[in-house]
Amino acid sequence: MQMLENQFVQKSSENTEVNTSVENFQESSGRVYFDSVQALADFESETTNNKTQMNTDPRVSKYLQNADVLSKHGEYNLALNLLRQACNIDSKNSATLSMLSRCLEKIGKHDEALVALNAWNKVDYGFESLAWLAHALYRMGRDEQALEKYFEALSVLTEEDDQLFEVYKNMGNIYVRQGDFDGAEEYYNKAYTINTTSDVLLVNFGTLEVQRGDFDKSLYCFRKAVEINPQNDKAWVGLAMVHHQFGDSELAWANIDAALDINKKNRTAVHLAANWGLRDRQLQKAIEALEEYLAQVEQDEDMSLVLINLFCTASQMDQALLEIERVLLWNPDHREVRDLKKKITPSVKAA
C-alpha cells in the first residue's frame, strides 16, 4: 500500500510527456536506430513474421478476418462457424486457436475454450498463450491452477507485454480470496506500476484494505477510483460500505443510490439496500431495488427469498405470494417456501 500512496504524490509529468513524445515520434516516423546489430535483429524479426503470414493458407486468413469482424459485433456463434472451418484446414494455427478460445468463452462454453487454449499452448508455447489460459482458469474460479499458470507465464516472459497488468491484478485478486493480504498487496503494487490510473485496480486496493480493517486507506482508494471513473458502480459500493462503517448512514445510502443508478444489477448494492432498508425502516426503497434487480436477472433464488421476506415485513402478502410462486417454478421442492405459501395463502384469500 505504501507504493500506492507514494505514486499518488505528484509524479514527474515532464518525464511522462517526453516519453510520450518520443513514442509518438517513433510510431509516426519509424524507428531511429543507433545500433546496427539491433537494426538487423529487428529486420530479421519482421522478415520472419512476413514469411509466417505468407505461409498461412489464404482461406484461413480470410476466415480469421471475417470471424474477427463478427466477434467484434457480438456474433460469436457465426464467428465460431468460420473458425471451425479454419481449424479443419489448419488445426495448428495459433491465431485461430486463440480467437476460437475467446469466442467459446463469450458464449459460456468454458470447458471447450480450455481445450482450445491447451491446444494453443502446444503449438505456440509462451507468455501470451499461458496468460490467456491462466485468465480463463481465473474466470472459472480455479484459483490454484490459474496461479500456477500465471507463475509459469511470468517465468517465460522475456519483454514487457500488454497483458502483464491483467496478470498481476488477477494474481492479487487470487491472493485476496486466499486471505494472503501481503501477497495481494505485492502483486497489486506491481500492477499499479504499470497503470496508475486504473479505477478497477483502485477498487481492488480498497477492497483489500477493507479486509484488513484499514477503512481510512480503503476510503482513499475508493474515492480515487470514483474520481477516475464516476461510472464505476463497485467504487460507489465500496464508499457506501466505508461510510456505513464510519456511522454515516445518510452518505452510505447516497453512495448505494449512485451505484444502483449506474448498475441496477449490482448484487452487492442491492443486498446492502435490502439489509439497510430493514434496519432503517425504508422497506419500499429496498423492495424497489430488489424488484428492479430481479427484473433484469434471469434467476437468483436467494435474492427472491430476501424480497419475499421484505414483502412479508411490509405486510404485502399478495406480492409475497407472487414471488413465492416464481421461486417454486424454479425449485418446486423448496420445502421452506412451500410451507410459507401454506401459511400466507389463507390471509391473501381473506383479504
Side-chain angles (χ1 to χ4, degrees):
M1 190 63 194
Q2 186 63 41
M3 179 180 291
L4 173 64
E5 291 171 339
N6 290 342
Q7 297 264 352
F8 276 127
V9 177
Q10 184 67 33
K11 297 171 68 177
S12 174
S13 60
E14 293 80 6
N15 289 339
T16 304
E17 292 172 1
V18 170
N19 291 337
T20 304
S21 299
V22 171
E23 289 170 2
N24 290 341
F25 172 75
Q26 289 178 345
E27 289 175 3
S28 61
S29 60
R31 189 166 181 178
V32 179
Y33 289 99
F34 297 98
D35 184 344
S36 59
V37 175
Q38 183 62 46
L40 288 170
D42 283 1
F43 176 76
E44 180 64 28
S45 175
E46 289 177 9
T47 303
T48 302
N49 288 337
N50 288 335
K51 285 180 180 177
T52 302
Q53 292 174 5
M54 288 173 63
N55 292 334
T56 300
D57 189 300
R59 292 172 298 171
V60 172
S61 297
K62 194 67 176 177
Y63 284 138
L64 284 174
Q65 289 174 9
N66 292 334
D68 185 47
V69 172
L70 288 168
S71 63
K72 285 177 179 176
H73 287 83
E75 299 289 348
Y76 300 113
N77 285 303
L78 292 175
L80 282 170
N81 290 335
L82 297 179
L83 292 169
R84 289 187 176 110
Q85 292 184 59
C87 282
N88 289 336
I89 299 168
D90 181 2
S91 62
K92 296 182 179 180
N93 185 291
S94 60
T96 303
L97 293 169
S98 170
M99 197 182 303
L100 180 64
S101 67
R102 275 172 266 183
C103 286
L104 286 167
E105 267 205 274
K106 289 291 186 180
I107 62 171
K109 295 188 176 182
H110 301 291
D111 290 333
E112 289 184 37
L114 281 182
V115 172
L117 285 163
N118 282 313
W120 179 17
N121 269 273
K122 286 180 181 178
V123 301
D124 188 16
Y125 180 85
F127 175 80
E128 185 179 10
S129 58
L130 284 166
W132 277 105
L133 176 56
H135 292 334
L137 291 166
Y138 168 81
R139 286 188 285 268
M140 293 173 74
R142 293 160 65 170
D143 285 354
E144 287 294 340
Q145 292 172 281
L147 202 56
E148 180 183 335
K149 288 301 175 183
Y150 279 134
F151 278 121
E152 188 177 347
L154 291 173
S155 72
V156 300
L157 181 67
T158 56
E159 59 185 13
E160 289 295 313
D161 190 279
D162 291 342
Q163 289 195 69
L164 202 51
F165 170 81
E166 194 72 13
V167 168
Y168 287 146
K169 178 178 68 66
N170 289 354
M171 290 177 77
N173 290 345
I174 291 172
Y175 280 124
V176 167
R177 290 199 285 262
Q178 292 179 343
D180 184 351
F181 300 147
D182 291 338
E185 182 177 1
E186 177 186 349
Y187 283 95
Y188 282 161
N189 277 328
K190 288 182 177 183
Y192 187 76
T193 59
I194 297 172
N195 184 355
T196 61
T197 59
S198 169
D199 56 299
V200 174
L201 180 60
L202 285 164
V203 170
N204 292 346
F205 263 119
T207 303
L208 171 62
E209 296 306 331
V210 167
Q211 298 267 21
R212 283 174 160 170
D214 193 330
F215 294 101
D216 288 323
K217 285 184 179 178
S218 62
L219 183 63
Y220 173 82
C221 294
F222 291 134
R223 279 177 174 168
K224 280 292 180 182
V226 167
E227 286 177 16
I228 292 170
N229 179 14
Q231 296 301 305
N232 188 322
D233 54 298
K234 292 181 180 179
W236 286 109
V237 173
L239 284 174
M241 290 189 293
V242 175
H243 286 130
H244 175 259
Q245 185 67 30
F246 288 154
D248 193 338
S249 177
E250 186 176 344
L251 189 51
W253 267 113
N255 296 148
I256 285 295
D257 289 341
L260 292 174
D261 284 342
I262 296 165
N263 179 14
K264 297 187 185 303
K265 294 193 292 184
N266 187 312
R267 196 176 191 274
T268 304
V270 174
H271 204 273
L272 287 174
N275 289 337
W276 297 351
L278 278 169
R279 179 199 65 195
D280 300 336
R281 297 182 180 179
Q282 296 197 45
L283 292 177
Q284 200 53 44
K285 189 172 185 177
I287 287 171
E288 288 174 4
L290 273 159
E291 286 181 323
E292 289 177 343
Y293 170 82
L294 290 168
Q296 298 186 48
V297 176
E298 185 176 350
Q299 180 179 343
D300 190 331
E301 185 176 304
D302 289 339
M303 295 298 269
S304 283
L305 295 177
V306 173
L307 180 57
I308 291 168
N309 182 44
L310 289 174
F311 279 139
C312 291
T313 304
S315 299
Q316 298 179 24
M317 297 305 180
D318 53 342
Q319 295 298 316
L321 190 58
L322 285 172
E323 193 63 29
I324 285 172
E325 294 290 358
R326 190 161 80 148
V327 171
L328 291 175
L329 284 173
W330 301 327
N331 186 1
D333 299 323
H334 199 301
R335 184 175 176 179
E336 292 180 0
V337 174
R338 296 191 75 86
D339 289 344
L340 181 60
K341 179 183 177 181
K342 290 178 182 177
K343 288 180 182 179
I344 68 172
T345 297
S347 64
V348 172
K349 287 181 177 179

